[in-house]
Amino acid sequence: MTVIDAINIVDLVAPAQRAPAKGRILDTVNVLFYEDGIRNVGVDRIISASSVTKATFYKHYRAKDNLILEYISHRHTHAVAELGAIIAAAATPKIALREFVASIIAEIDSVGFRGCAFINAAAEFPQQDHPVRKIVTMHREWYTDTLENLLRDMGHPVPGDAADELLLARDGAFTGGYAGDSIAASAALTRITNRVLAESTNA
């Protein structure tokens, strides 16, 4: 199954267009899957927490696997919109990158932080050809491409390499911020960002 096939399985309509019951189910698993793990949350718990009937759940999703794909796809869509808004509002690519890093640090410091939802999902689905892993791969490629474009606009001499470095620094900050010292993780991410910016001629 390709990434496009995986995404086409789910209904990625805007929340305002989504059926109320379907929206409640997605909102519920957006919390439960992130907090407790995708495989640890069963259908009966989802139905109870969403205040829907079993018939309603299966009408909208037919199986938990379809809901898992919508959950991870919804997370990607939200990330695209969030970073897009940051870039659109920033006066310069440098400011956009600073605001992006600030948003990561704010997320690390937020109540209920459990690390990166995509890294967590990848750990639960180790098979490289699983549809969830394909969406995770697509998400990470989008992140790298977006950062590379920002760095190219700043005049970085090797924007692709720098984008890889920033994404890995983000991964490390999310993991270290959850499993270890959140202050140290955020400070390390800031130092790496400062060094990358210093290498950019237009920063």
Side-chain angles (χ1 to χ4, degrees):
M1 180 179 290
T2 66
V3 175
I4 298 301
D5 291 334
I7 293 173
N8 285 341
I9 289 175
V10 299
D11 176 17
L12 294 179
V13 295
Q17 298 171 309
R18 191 182 294 120
K22 189 173 186 179
R24 286 203 306 277
I25 294 169
L26 183 58
D27 290 343
T28 297
V29 299
N30 199 43
V31 175
L32 294 182
F33 284 171
Y34 180 66
E35 289 186 347
D36 296 338
I38 295 171
R39 294 191 183 277
N40 289 335
V41 178
V43 170
D44 288 343
R45 184 181 176 192
I46 294 168
I47 289 170
S48 175
S50 304
S51 299
V52 298
T53 64
K54 185 170 290 189
T56 297
F57 175 86
Y58 285 107
K59 170 188 173 184
H60 288 299
Y61 288 105
R62 301 188 301 281
K64 182 184 174 184
D65 286 348
N66 294 333
L67 178 56
I68 293 169
L69 291 177
E70 180 154 357
Y71 158 74
I72 200 69
S73 297
H74 175 74
R75 285 267 177 174
H76 170 69
T77 301
H78 177 76
V80 170
E82 187 176 59
L83 183 51
I86 289 173
I87 293 171
T92 66
K94 175 184 177 180
I95 293 173
L97 187 59
R98 290 283 191 197
E99 290 296 324
F100 166 64
V101 171
S103 72
I104 293 171
I105 293 172
E107 187 173 352
I108 291 171
D109 289 338
S110 64
V111 176
F113 176 69
R114 295 291 185 273
C116 174
F118 295 90
I119 294 175
N120 296 346
E124 291 199 64
F125 295 89
Q127 303 88 354
Q128 291 290 335
D129 61 346
H130 193 282
V132 168
R133 289 298 296 268
K134 291 180 181 294
I135 296 173
V136 170
T137 297
M138 177 197 66
H139 173 76
R140 294 180 65 80
E141 289 174 348
W142 159 78
Y143 245 132
T144 303
D145 290 345
T146 304
L147 291 173
E148 182 177 354
N149 288 335
L150 276 177
L151 291 160
R152 182 177 292 109
D153 290 343
M154 291 180 208
H156 196 283
V158 281
D161 291 351
D164 289 339
E165 187 174 4
L166 283 174
L167 183 59
L168 289 174
R170 170 195 172 276
D171 292 346
F174 270 140
T175 303
Y178 174 51
D181 186 335
S182 62
I183 295 175
S186 297
L189 175 61
T190 300
R191 287 195 300 271
I192 292 170
T193 302
N194 288 340
R195 180 169 53 75
V196 169
L197 286 171
E199 297 167 348
S200 304
T201 59
N202 297 332

